[in-house]
Amino acid sequence: MGIVAGLDSSPDFTRIVVCDADTGAVLRQGYAPHPLESPEGGGRPADVDPQAWLLSLGEAAGGGLLEGVQAIGVSAQANSVVPLDAQGNTVRPAMVGGDKRSQVAAADLIDALGGREVWAQAVGSVPQAGQPVTKLRWLARNEPEAAARTAVLLQAHDWLVWQLLGRPVRRTTDRGGASGTGYWSAATGGYRPDLVELALGHHAVLPEVIGPADAAGTTPEGLLISAGTGETQAAAFGLGIGLGDAVVSLGASGSVMAVHTEPLVDQSGMITALADATGMHLPVVTTLNAVRALRGTAELLGMPDLESLSELAMKSTPGSHGLVLLPYLEGERTPNLPHTAGTLAGLRRESMRPEHLARAAFEGMLCGLADALDVLRGRGVEVRRVFLLGAAAELPAVQAAAPMLFGTQVVVPQPADYAAIGSARQAAWALGVSRGTLDPRTPPVWQGAVAQVLEPGEELAVGQAVRQQFVSVREQTHPGAL
């Protein structure tokens, strides 16, 4: 069918992959960092001029990378807001990332609508600091002039698609991106403009939500641009996950998501009901503490890196000689304990050794993520295998403990640009549908990720005992939290 490209504009860089449209084989790749200025004190800026994304895109696509490409798919960082005026100009820099400035705004919005349960019912999620709806509330309270001039709301991938198409009158998004805004419901498939008004103070034009296999348009040169989607949804699509699959991401914080046939309304707010990039649903449960618990333990034990911590942990045994770490170092979201601290339980003279604490850190992190998996399982989500992502997934201590603690097959894919690959797969789908060679209900079948497969095997019973030890300490320390 030809060749297609997938573009992923992450918080720090743009990656482009050029793929064979039939098989998904990666033919060429491009990369460029975003030309962003770091704020004082380092870290990522909370406000970014979207032109930086275009400059990065142009650099990544240099050297004839896109020569012969017939369609492009775009994914980009979630939780971004690009506010435009009536003429299509940016009112202020884009608001990106998990913006802690808007924590108070999130609490305001929860109260303004009548509580967490009302929000969960309305849009499948409870406002959090990073979400677009919360950023709009912050804008209205802190930059009222900019808020008043805001006439159109786009996210990062919407804005990039619109730019690639030459800024047409029609502006589009997809279900995946829309489902993270806090003003679109995966359950109803529609916007809640009243929630935009509640947050921003007035009505704003929202992009048209198009189907997973639809094209957003065609460039003057005849290049088809697909719907685009959020980075999370694109990565799931690039991995090729389906019903029965869950993805556990090990970052500083952790997330668990799974493919499901219907949206899950969770009145506790622990589940965020996202839509995926295929027409299905992608419920997500987040933990605030994952790799940060490992890094904290490594510092405490004087270990230079996580590889050394893993090597030390492997000298211990499952159960860490009775040591249990509840890794709630930054408070926790699952369970909902925002103001708590971590707990180290089971201290005995024989357990007070560095290797047992190292092992307890790995087990505590993974048991916290297993709790998140159980939140989904408890709502009828089937989990037959778990894809484990993130650099920490390569650590021997993680690979030794994860299958027995999750109680299922664990797949560790080789590192790859899965969001960019998922975007390319979406482009191939839209291209095939436009030519009448693919069904709009069935995405193209591409070769799966190269991966290591780990089975719980005979250690399943041992893992269940370790989980029970963790659950007992959690229940004693925080009764009824889950």
mmCIF file with all atom_site columns, all heavy atoms in Angstrom, residues 84 87-88 152 154 158-172 216-220:
data_model
loop_
_atom_site.group_PDB
_atom_site.id
_atom_site.type_symbol
_atom_site.label_atom_id
_atom_site.label_alt_id
_atom_site.label_comp_id
_atom_site.label_asym_id
_atom_site.label_entity_id
_atom_site.label_seq_id
_atom_site.pdbx_PDB_ins_code
_atom_site.Cartn_x
_atom_site.Cartn_y
_atom_site.Cartn_z
_atom_site.occupancy
_atom_site.B_iso_or_equiv
_atom_site.pdbx_formal_charge
_atom_site.auth_seq_id
_atom_site.auth_comp_id
_atom_site.auth_asym_id
_atom_site.auth_atom_id
_atom_site.pdbx_PDB_model_num
ATOM 1   N N   . LEU A 1 84  ? -6.603  29.612 21.549 1.00 0.00 ? 84  LEU A N   1
ATOM 2   C CA  . LEU A 1 84  ? -6.528  30.461 20.355 1.00 0.00 ? 84  LEU A CA  1
ATOM 3   C C   . LEU A 1 84  ? -7.576  31.566 20.430 1.00 0.00 ? 84  LEU A C   1
ATOM 4   O O   . LEU A 1 84  ? -8.653  31.383 21.016 1.00 0.00 ? 84  LEU A O   1
ATOM 5   C CB  . LEU A 1 84  ? -6.765  29.634 19.091 1.00 0.00 ? 84  LEU A CB  1
ATOM 6   C CG  . LEU A 1 84  ? -5.871  28.413 18.857 1.00 0.00 ? 84  LEU A CG  1
ATOM 7   C CD1 . LEU A 1 84  ? -6.291  27.706 17.565 1.00 0.00 ? 84  LEU A CD1 1
ATOM 8   C CD2 . LEU A 1 84  ? -4.404  28.807 18.797 1.00 0.00 ? 84  LEU A CD2 1
ATOM 9   N N   . GLN A 1 87  ? -9.109  34.692 15.599 1.00 0.00 ? 87  GLN A N   1
ATOM 10  C CA  . GLN A 1 87  ? -8.363  34.669 14.334 1.00 0.00 ? 87  GLN A CA  1
ATOM 11  C C   . GLN A 1 87  ? -7.441  33.450 14.224 1.00 0.00 ? 87  GLN A C   1
ATOM 12  O O   . GLN A 1 87  ? -6.749  33.282 13.222 1.00 0.00 ? 87  GLN A O   1
ATOM 13  C CB  . GLN A 1 87  ? -7.521  35.949 14.189 1.00 0.00 ? 87  GLN A CB  1
ATOM 14  C CG  . GLN A 1 87  ? -8.329  37.197 13.866 1.00 0.00 ? 87  GLN A CG  1
ATOM 15  C CD  . GLN A 1 87  ? -9.155  37.665 15.062 1.00 0.00 ? 87  GLN A CD  1
ATOM 16  O OE1 . GLN A 1 87  ? -8.639  37.757 16.179 1.00 0.00 ? 87  GLN A OE1 1
ATOM 17  N NE2 . GLN A 1 87  ? -10.429 37.951 14.821 1.00 0.00 ? 87  GLN A NE2 1
ATOM 18  N N   . GLY A 1 88  ? -7.392  32.617 15.259 1.00 0.00 ? 88  GLY A N   1
ATOM 19  C CA  . GLY A 1 88  ? -6.555  31.425 15.219 1.00 0.00 ? 88  GLY A CA  1
ATOM 20  C C   . GLY A 1 88  ? -5.148  31.642 15.739 1.00 0.00 ? 88  GLY A C   1
ATOM 21  O O   . GLY A 1 88  ? -4.291  30.764 15.593 1.00 0.00 ? 88  GLY A O   1
ATOM 22  N N   . VAL A 1 152 ? -11.086 29.526 20.963 1.00 0.00 ? 152 VAL A N   1
ATOM 23  C CA  . VAL A 1 152 ? -10.981 28.157 20.452 1.00 0.00 ? 152 VAL A CA  1
ATOM 24  C C   . VAL A 1 152 ? -10.011 27.390 21.353 1.00 0.00 ? 152 VAL A C   1
ATOM 25  O O   . VAL A 1 152 ? -8.987  27.935 21.778 1.00 0.00 ? 152 VAL A O   1
ATOM 26  C CB  . VAL A 1 152 ? -10.437 28.143 18.999 1.00 0.00 ? 152 VAL A CB  1
ATOM 27  C CG1 . VAL A 1 152 ? -10.333 26.713 18.472 1.00 0.00 ? 152 VAL A CG1 1
ATOM 28  C CG2 . VAL A 1 152 ? -11.309 28.988 18.088 1.00 0.00 ? 152 VAL A CG2 1
ATOM 29  N N   . LEU A 1 154 ? -7.671  23.932 21.613 1.00 0.00 ? 154 LEU A N   1
ATOM 30  C CA  . LEU A 1 154 ? -7.071  22.761 20.985 1.00 0.00 ? 154 LEU A CA  1
ATOM 31  C C   . LEU A 1 154 ? -6.075  22.131 21.954 1.00 0.00 ? 154 LEU A C   1
ATOM 32  O O   . LEU A 1 154 ? -5.578  22.795 22.862 1.00 0.00 ? 154 LEU A O   1
ATOM 33  C CB  . LEU A 1 154 ? -6.332  23.149 19.698 1.00 0.00 ? 154 LEU A CB  1
ATOM 34  C CG  . LEU A 1 154 ? -7.152  23.745 18.548 1.00 0.00 ? 154 LEU A CG  1
ATOM 35  C CD1 . LEU A 1 154 ? -6.239  24.071 17.375 1.00 0.00 ? 154 LEU A CD1 1
ATOM 36  C CD2 . LEU A 1 154 ? -8.268  22.801 18.112 1.00 0.00 ? 154 LEU A CD2 1
ATOM 37  N N   . ASP A 1 158 ? -4.050  18.184 18.241 1.00 0.00 ? 158 ASP A N   1
ATOM 38  C CA  . ASP A 1 158 ? -5.032  18.889 17.403 1.00 0.00 ? 158 ASP A CA  1
ATOM 39  C C   . ASP A 1 158 ? -4.360  20.053 16.665 1.00 0.00 ? 158 ASP A C   1
ATOM 40  O O   . ASP A 1 158 ? -4.573  20.272 15.467 1.00 0.00 ? 158 ASP A O   1
ATOM 41  C CB  . ASP A 1 158 ? -6.173  19.474 18.255 1.00 0.00 ? 158 ASP A CB  1
ATOM 42  C CG  . ASP A 1 158 ? -6.787  18.484 19.215 1.00 0.00 ? 158 ASP A CG  1
ATOM 43  O OD1 . ASP A 1 158 ? -6.749  17.279 18.926 1.00 0.00 ? 158 ASP A OD1 1
ATOM 44  O OD2 . ASP A 1 158 ? -7.319  18.916 20.254 1.00 0.00 ? 158 ASP A OD2 1
ATOM 45  N N   . TRP A 1 159 ? -3.554  20.810 17.424 1.00 0.00 ? 159 TRP A N   1
ATOM 46  C CA  . TRP A 1 159 ? -2.907  22.002 16.866 1.00 0.00 ? 159 TRP A CA  1
ATOM 47  C C   . TRP A 1 159 ? -1.908  21.617 15.776 1.00 0.00 ? 159 TRP A C   1
ATOM 48  O O   . TRP A 1 159 ? -1.846  22.257 14.728 1.00 0.00 ? 159 TRP A O   1
ATOM 49  C CB  . TRP A 1 159 ? -2.212  22.773 17.995 1.00 0.00 ? 159 TRP A CB  1
ATOM 50  C CG  . TRP A 1 159 ? -1.654  24.100 17.588 1.00 0.00 ? 159 TRP A CG  1
ATOM 51  C CD1 . TRP A 1 159 ? -2.323  25.301 17.500 1.00 0.00 ? 159 TRP A CD1 1
ATOM 52  C CD2 . TRP A 1 159 ? -0.304  24.371 17.202 1.00 0.00 ? 159 TRP A CD2 1
ATOM 53  N NE1 . TRP A 1 159 ? -1.471  26.297 17.094 1.00 0.00 ? 159 TRP A NE1 1
ATOM 54  C CE2 . TRP A 1 159 ? -0.225  25.760 16.902 1.00 0.00 ? 159 TRP A CE2 1
ATOM 55  C CE3 . TRP A 1 159 ? 0.848   23.595 17.083 1.00 0.00 ? 159 TRP A CE3 1
ATOM 56  C CZ2 . TRP A 1 159 ? 0.956   26.372 16.487 1.00 0.00 ? 159 TRP A CZ2 1
ATOM 57  C CZ3 . TRP A 1 159 ? 2.026   24.206 16.665 1.00 0.00 ? 159 TRP A CZ3 1
ATOM 58  C CH2 . TRP A 1 159 ? 2.080   25.578 16.379 1.00 0.00 ? 159 TRP A CH2 1
ATOM 59  N N   . LEU A 1 160 ? -1.143  20.542 16.013 1.00 0.00 ? 160 LEU A N   1
ATOM 60  C CA  . LEU A 1 160 ? -0.166  20.109 15.017 1.00 0.00 ? 160 LEU A CA  1
ATOM 61  C C   . LEU A 1 160 ? -0.842  19.623 13.735 1.00 0.00 ? 160 LEU A C   1
ATOM 62  O O   . LEU A 1 160 ? -0.393  19.932 12.623 1.00 0.00 ? 160 LEU A O   1
ATOM 63  C CB  . LEU A 1 160 ? 0.724   19.006 15.605 1.00 0.00 ? 160 LEU A CB  1
ATOM 64  C CG  . LEU A 1 160 ? 1.798   19.490 16.587 1.00 0.00 ? 160 LEU A CG  1
ATOM 65  C CD1 . LEU A 1 160 ? 2.372   18.325 17.371 1.00 0.00 ? 160 LEU A CD1 1
ATOM 66  C CD2 . LEU A 1 160 ? 2.910   20.242 15.850 1.00 0.00 ? 160 LEU A CD2 1
ATOM 67  N N   . VAL A 1 161 ? -1.923  18.857 13.876 1.00 0.00 ? 161 VAL A N   1
ATOM 68  C CA  . VAL A 1 161 ? -2.679  18.409 12.697 1.00 0.00 ? 161 VAL A CA  1
ATOM 69  C C   . VAL A 1 161 ? -3.201  19.612 11.917 1.00 0.00 ? 161 VAL A C   1
ATOM 70  O O   . VAL A 1 161 ? -3.103  19.681 10.683 1.00 0.00 ? 161 VAL A O   1
ATOM 71  C CB  . VAL A 1 161 ? -3.841  17.482 13.130 1.00 0.00 ? 161 VAL A CB  1
ATOM 72  C CG1 . VAL A 1 161 ? -4.858  17.305 11.997 1.00 0.00 ? 161 VAL A CG1 1
ATOM 73  C CG2 . VAL A 1 161 ? -3.306  16.125 13.577 1.00 0.00 ? 161 VAL A CG2 1
ATOM 74  N N   . TRP A 1 162 ? -3.751  20.577 12.637 1.00 0.00 ? 162 TRP A N   1
ATOM 75  C CA  . TRP A 1 162 ? -4.300  21.795 12.023 1.00 0.00 ? 162 TRP A CA  1
ATOM 76  C C   . TRP A 1 162 ? -3.208  22.570 11.280 1.00 0.00 ? 162 TRP A C   1
ATOM 77  O O   . TRP A 1 162 ? -3.431  23.064 10.166 1.00 0.00 ? 162 TRP A O   1
ATOM 78  C CB  . TRP A 1 162 ? -4.940  22.637 13.137 1.00 0.00 ? 162 TRP A CB  1
ATOM 79  C CG  . TRP A 1 162 ? -5.635  23.887 12.709 1.00 0.00 ? 162 TRP A CG  1
ATOM 80  C CD1 . TRP A 1 162 ? -6.676  23.987 11.832 1.00 0.00 ? 162 TRP A CD1 1
ATOM 81  C CD2 . TRP A 1 162 ? -5.359  25.214 13.165 1.00 0.00 ? 162 TRP A CD2 1
ATOM 82  N NE1 . TRP A 1 162 ? -7.067  25.299 11.720 1.00 0.00 ? 162 TRP A NE1 1
ATOM 83  C CE2 . TRP A 1 162 ? -6.273  26.072 12.532 1.00 0.00 ? 162 TRP A CE2 1
ATOM 84  C CE3 . TRP A 1 162 ? -4.446  25.747 14.068 1.00 0.00 ? 162 TRP A CE3 1
ATOM 85  C CZ2 . TRP A 1 162 ? -6.293  27.446 12.760 1.00 0.00 ? 162 TRP A CZ2 1
ATOM 86  C CZ3 . TRP A 1 162 ? -4.464  27.115 14.303 1.00 0.00 ? 162 TRP A CZ3 1
ATOM 87  C CH2 . TRP A 1 162 ? -5.372  27.952 13.642 1.00 0.00 ? 162 TRP A CH2 1
ATOM 88  N N   . GLN A 1 163 ? -2.022  22.649 11.859 1.00 0.00 ? 163 GLN A N   1
ATOM 89  C CA  . GLN A 1 163 ? -0.906  23.335 11.196 1.00 0.00 ? 163 GLN A CA  1
ATOM 90  C C   . GLN A 1 163 ? -0.460  22.582 9.942  1.00 0.00 ? 163 GLN A C   1
ATOM 91  O O   . GLN A 1 163 ? -0.210  23.188 8.892  1.00 0.00 ? 163 GLN A O   1
ATOM 92  C CB  . GLN A 1 163 ? 0.274   23.472 12.163 1.00 0.00 ? 163 GLN A CB  1
ATOM 93  C CG  . GLN A 1 163 ? 0.027   24.366 13.363 1.00 0.00 ? 163 GLN A CG  1
ATOM 94  C CD  . GLN A 1 163 ? -0.094  25.831 13.003 1.00 0.00 ? 163 GLN A CD  1
ATOM 95  O OE1 . GLN A 1 163 ? 0.496   26.284 12.034 1.00 0.00 ? 163 GLN A OE1 1
ATOM 96  N NE2 . GLN A 1 163 ? -0.869  26.575 13.781 1.00 0.00 ? 163 GLN A NE2 1
ATOM 97  N N   . LEU A 1 164 ? -0.356  21.254 10.034 1.00 0.00 ? 164 LEU A N   1
ATOM 98  C CA  . LEU A 1 164 ? 0.068   20.462 8.871  1.00 0.00 ? 164 LEU A CA  1
ATOM 99  C C   . LEU A 1 164 ? -0.901  20.613 7.700  1.00 0.00 ? 164 LEU A C   1
ATOM 100 O O   . LEU A 1 164 ? -0.500  20.549 6.538  1.00 0.00 ? 164 LEU A O   1
ATOM 101 C CB  . LEU A 1 164 ? 0.192   18.985 9.257  1.00 0.00 ? 164 LEU A CB  1
ATOM 102 C CG  . LEU A 1 164 ? 1.367   18.602 10.160 1.00 0.00 ? 164 LEU A CG  1
ATOM 103 C CD1 . LEU A 1 164 ? 1.238   17.159 10.616 1.00 0.00 ? 164 LEU A CD1 1
ATOM 104 C CD2 . LEU A 1 164 ? 2.698   18.818 9.446  1.00 0.00 ? 164 LEU A CD2 1
ATOM 105 N N   . LEU A 1 165 ? -2.170  20.810 8.041  1.00 0.00 ? 165 LEU A N   1
ATOM 106 C CA  . LEU A 1 165 ? -3.204  20.956 6.997  1.00 0.00 ? 165 LEU A CA  1
ATOM 107 C C   . LEU A 1 165 ? -3.320  22.397 6.494  1.00 0.00 ? 165 LEU A C   1
ATOM 108 O O   . LEU A 1 165 ? -4.172  22.681 5.642  1.00 0.00 ? 165 LEU A O   1
ATOM 109 C CB  . LEU A 1 165 ? -4.556  20.481 7.530  1.00 0.00 ? 165 LEU A CB  1
ATOM 110 C CG  . LEU A 1 165 ? -4.681  18.970 7.746  1.00 0.00 ? 165 LEU A CG  1
ATOM 111 C CD1 . LEU A 1 165 ? -5.972  18.629 8.473  1.00 0.00 ? 165 LEU A CD1 1
ATOM 112 C CD2 . LEU A 1 165 ? -4.602  18.217 6.427  1.00 0.00 ? 165 LEU A CD2 1
ATOM 113 N N   . GLY A 1 166 ? -2.496  23.314 7.009  1.00 0.00 ? 166 GLY A N   1
ATOM 114 C CA  . GLY A 1 166 ? -2.536  24.695 6.544  1.00 0.00 ? 166 GLY A CA  1
ATOM 115 C C   . GLY A 1 166 ? -3.584  25.543 7.231  1.00 0.00 ? 166 GLY A C   1
ATOM 116 O O   . GLY A 1 166 ? -4.103  26.481 6.637  1.00 0.00 ? 166 GLY A O   1
ATOM 117 N N   . ARG A 1 167 ? -3.891  25.208 8.496  1.00 0.00 ? 167 ARG A N   1
ATOM 118 C CA  . ARG A 1 167 ? -4.833  25.973 9.329  1.00 0.00 ? 167 ARG A CA  1
ATOM 119 C C   . ARG A 1 167 ? -6.207  26.136 8.671  1.00 0.00 ? 167 ARG A C   1
ATOM 120 O O   . ARG A 1 167 ? -6.681  27.253 8.477  1.00 0.00 ? 167 ARG A O   1
ATOM 121 C CB  . ARG A 1 167 ? -4.236  27.342 9.669  1.00 0.00 ? 167 ARG A CB  1
ATOM 122 C CG  . ARG A 1 167 ? -2.975  27.259 10.501 1.00 0.00 ? 167 ARG A CG  1
ATOM 123 C CD  . ARG A 1 167 ? -2.200  28.565 10.505 1.00 0.00 ? 167 ARG A CD  1
ATOM 124 N NE  . ARG A 1 167 ? -2.978  29.687 10.984 1.00 0.00 ? 167 ARG A NE  1
ATOM 125 C CZ  . ARG A 1 167 ? -2.814  30.297 12.162 1.00 0.00 ? 167 ARG A CZ  1
ATOM 126 N NH1 . ARG A 1 167 ? -1.885  29.871 12.993 1.00 0.00 ? 167 ARG A NH1 1
ATOM 127 N NH2 . ARG A 1 167 ? -3.548  31.324 12.481 1.00 0.00 ? 167 ARG A NH2 1
ATOM 128 N N   . PRO A 1 168 ? -6.878  25.030 8.325  1.00 0.00 ? 168 PRO A N   1
ATOM 129 C CA  . PRO A 1 168 ? -8.207  25.134 7.696  1.00 0.00 ? 168 PRO A CA  1
ATOM 130 C C   . PRO A 1 168 ? -9.259  25.610 8.704  1.00 0.00 ? 168 PRO A C   1
ATOM 131 O O   . PRO A 1 168 ? -9.016  25.643 9.915  1.00 0.00 ? 168 PRO A O   1
ATOM 132 C CB  . PRO A 1 168 ? -8.493  23.694 7.260  1.00 0.00 ? 168 PRO A CB  1
ATOM 133 C CG  . PRO A 1 168 ? -7.729  22.859 8.226  1.00 0.00 ? 168 PRO A CG  1
ATOM 134 C CD  . PRO A 1 168 ? -6.478  23.626 8.518  1.00 0.00 ? 168 PRO A CD  1
ATOM 135 N N   . VAL A 1 169 ? -10.431 25.935 8.172  1.00 0.00 ? 169 VAL A N   1
ATOM 136 C CA  . VAL A 1 169 ? -11.546 26.366 9.030  1.00 0.00 ? 169 VAL A CA  1
ATOM 137 C C   . VAL A 1 169 ? -11.953 25.228 9.965  1.00 0.00 ? 169 VAL A C   1
ATOM 138 O O   . VAL A 1 169 ? -12.256 25.441 11.139 1.00 0.00 ? 169 VAL A O   1
ATOM 139 C CB  . VAL A 1 169 ? -12.755 26.809 8.156  1.00 0.00 ? 169 VAL A CB  1
ATOM 140 C CG1 . VAL A 1 169 ? -13.973 27.090 9.032  1.00 0.00 ? 169 VAL A CG1 1
ATOM 141 C CG2 . VAL A 1 169 ? -12.379 28.037 7.347  1.00 0.00 ? 169 VAL A CG2 1
ATOM 142 N N   . ARG A 1 170 ? -11.949 23.991 9.433  1.00 0.00 ? 170 ARG A N   1
ATOM 143 C CA  . ARG A 1 170 ? -12.327 22.829 10.230 1.00 0.00 ? 170 ARG A CA  1
ATOM 144 C C   . ARG A 1 170 ? -11.169 22.419 11.142 1.00 0.00 ? 170 ARG A C   1
ATOM 145 O O   . ARG A 1 170 ? -10.045 22.262 10.703 1.00 0.00 ? 170 ARG A O   1
ATOM 146 C CB  . ARG A 1 170 ? -12.670 21.677 9.286  1.00 0.00 ? 170 ARG A CB  1
ATOM 147 C CG  . ARG A 1 170 ? -13.118 20.398 9.969  1.00 0.00 ? 170 ARG A CG  1
ATOM 148 C CD  . ARG A 1 170 ? -13.177 19.279 8.941  1.00 0.00 ? 170 ARG A CD  1
ATOM 149 N NE  . ARG A 1 170 ? -13.785 18.073 9.476  1.00 0.00 ? 170 ARG A NE  1
ATOM 150 C CZ  . ARG A 1 170 ? -13.391 16.843 9.143  1.00 0.00 ? 170 ARG A CZ  1
ATOM 151 N NH1 . ARG A 1 170 ? -12.392 16.676 8.282  1.00 0.00 ? 170 ARG A NH1 1
ATOM 152 N NH2 . ARG A 1 170 ? -13.991 15.791 9.642  1.00 0.00 ? 170 ARG A NH2 1
ATOM 153 N N   . ARG A 1 171 ? -11.499 22.274 12.413 1.00 0.00 ? 171 ARG A N   1
ATOM 154 C CA  . ARG A 1 171 ? -10.499 21.792 13.373 1.00 0.00 ? 171 ARG A CA  1
ATOM 155 C C   . ARG A 1 171 ? -11.005 20.488 13.961 1.00 0.00 ? 171 ARG A C   1
ATOM 156 O O   . ARG A 1 171 ? -12.176 20.373 14.312 1.00 0.00 ? 171 ARG A O   1
ATOM 157 C CB  . ARG A 1 171 ? -10.267 22.820 14.472 1.00 0.00 ? 171 ARG A CB  1
ATOM 158 C CG  . ARG A 1 171 ? -9.781  24.174 13.956 1.00 0.00 ? 171 ARG A CG  1
ATOM 159 C CD  . ARG A 1 171 ? -9.634  25.165 15.099 1.00 0.00 ? 171 ARG A CD  1
ATOM 160 N NE  . ARG A 1 171 ? -9.273  26.491 14.626 1.00 0.00 ? 171 ARG A NE  1
ATOM 161 C CZ  . ARG A 1 171 ? -10.142 27.456 14.357 1.00 0.00 ? 171 ARG A CZ  1
ATOM 162 N NH1 . ARG A 1 171 ? -11.446 27.238 14.499 1.00 0.00 ? 171 ARG A NH1 1
ATOM 163 N NH2 . ARG A 1 171 ? -9.724  28.636 13.947 1.00 0.00 ? 171 ARG A NH2 1
ATOM 164 N N   . THR A 1 172 ? -10.098 19.509 14.087 1.00 0.00 ? 172 THR A N   1
ATOM 165 C CA  . THR A 1 172 ? -10.544 18.169 14.492 1.00 0.00 ? 172 THR A CA  1
ATOM 166 C C   . THR A 1 172 ? -9.712  17.647 15.662 1.00 0.00 ? 172 THR A C   1
ATOM 167 O O   . THR A 1 172 ? -8.623  18.123 15.954 1.00 0.00 ? 172 THR A O   1
ATOM 168 C CB  . THR A 1 172 ? -10.406 17.178 13.320 1.00 0.00 ? 172 THR A CB  1
ATOM 169 O OG1 . THR A 1 172 ? -9.023  17.094 12.945 1.00 0.00 ? 172 THR A OG1 1
ATOM 170 C CG2 . THR A 1 172 ? -11.238 17.599 12.125 1.00 0.00 ? 172 THR A CG2 1
ATOM 171 N N   . ALA A 1 216 ? -8.261  13.591 8.940  1.00 0.00 ? 216 ALA A N   1
ATOM 172 C CA  . ALA A 1 216 ? -8.531  14.982 9.324  1.00 0.00 ? 216 ALA A CA  1
ATOM 173 C C   . ALA A 1 216 ? -8.552  15.870 8.087  1.00 0.00 ? 216 ALA A C   1
ATOM 174 O O   . ALA A 1 216 ? -9.187  16.919 8.077  1.00 0.00 ? 216 ALA A O   1
ATOM 175 C CB  . ALA A 1 216 ? -7.472  15.463 10.304 1.00 0.00 ? 216 ALA A CB  1
ATOM 176 N N   . GLY A 1 217 ? -7.852  15.432 7.037  1.00 0.00 ? 217 GLY A N   1
ATOM 177 C CA  . GLY A 1 217 ? -7.821  16.197 5.801  1.00 0.00 ? 217 GLY A CA  1
ATOM 178 C C   . GLY A 1 217 ? -6.624  15.803 4.963  1.00 0.00 ? 217 GLY A C   1
ATOM 179 O O   . GLY A 1 217 ? -5.902  14.839 5.277  1.00 0.00 ? 217 GLY A O   1
ATOM 180 N N   . THR A 1 218 ? -6.417  16.550 3.895  1.00 0.00 ? 218 THR A N   1
ATOM 181 C CA  . THR A 1 218 ? -5.304  16.310 2.973  1.00 0.00 ? 218 THR A CA  1
ATOM 182 C C   . THR A 1 218 ? -4.575  17.619 2.752  1.00 0.00 ? 218 THR A C   1
ATOM 183 O O   . THR A 1 218 ? -5.203  18.671 2.573  1.00 0.00 ? 218 THR A O   1
ATOM 184 C CB  . THR A 1 218 ? -5.820  15.766 1.624  1.00 0.00 ? 218 THR A CB  1
ATOM 185 O OG1 . THR A 1 218 ? -6.640  14.616 1.873  1.00 0.00 ? 218 THR A OG1 1
ATOM 186 C CG2 . THR A 1 218 ? -4.675  15.377 0.710  1.00 0.00 ? 218 THR A CG2 1
ATOM 187 N N   . THR A 1 219 ? -3.260  17.568 2.761  1.00 0.00 ? 219 THR A N   1
ATOM 188 C CA  . THR A 1 219 ? -2.467  18.780 2.536  1.00 0.00 ? 219 THR A CA  1
ATOM 189 C C   . THR A 1 219 ? -2.567  19.188 1.064  1.00 0.00 ? 219 THR A C   1
ATOM 190 O O   . THR A 1 219 ? -2.946  18.366 0.217  1.00 0.00 ? 219 THR A O   1
ATOM 191 C CB  . THR A 1 219 ? -0.995  18.552 2.898  1.00 0.00 ? 219 THR A CB  1
ATOM 192 O OG1 . THR A 1 219 ? -0.433  17.631 1.948  1.00 0.00 ? 219 THR A OG1 1
ATOM 193 C CG2 . THR A 1 219 ? -0.839  17.990 4.305  1.00 0.00 ? 219 THR A CG2 1
ATOM 194 N N   . PRO A 1 220 ? -2.208  20.440 0.741  1.00 0.00 ? 220 PRO A N   1
ATOM 195 C CA  . PRO A 1 220 ? -2.234  20.863 -0.667 1.00 0.00 ? 220 PRO A CA  1
ATOM 196 C C   . PRO A 1 220 ? -1.391  19.963 -1.571 1.00 0.00 ? 220 PRO A C   1
ATOM 197 O O   . PRO A 1 220 ? -1.670  19.824 -2.763 1.00 0.00 ? 220 PRO A O   1
ATOM 198 C CB  . PRO A 1 220 ? -1.651  22.286 -0.606 1.00 0.00 ? 220 PRO A CB  1
ATOM 199 C CG  . PRO A 1 220 ? -1.968  22.769 0.779  1.00 0.00 ? 220 PRO A CG  1
ATOM 200 C CD  . PRO A 1 220 ? -1.880  21.551 1.652  1.00 0.00 ? 220 PRO A CD  1
#
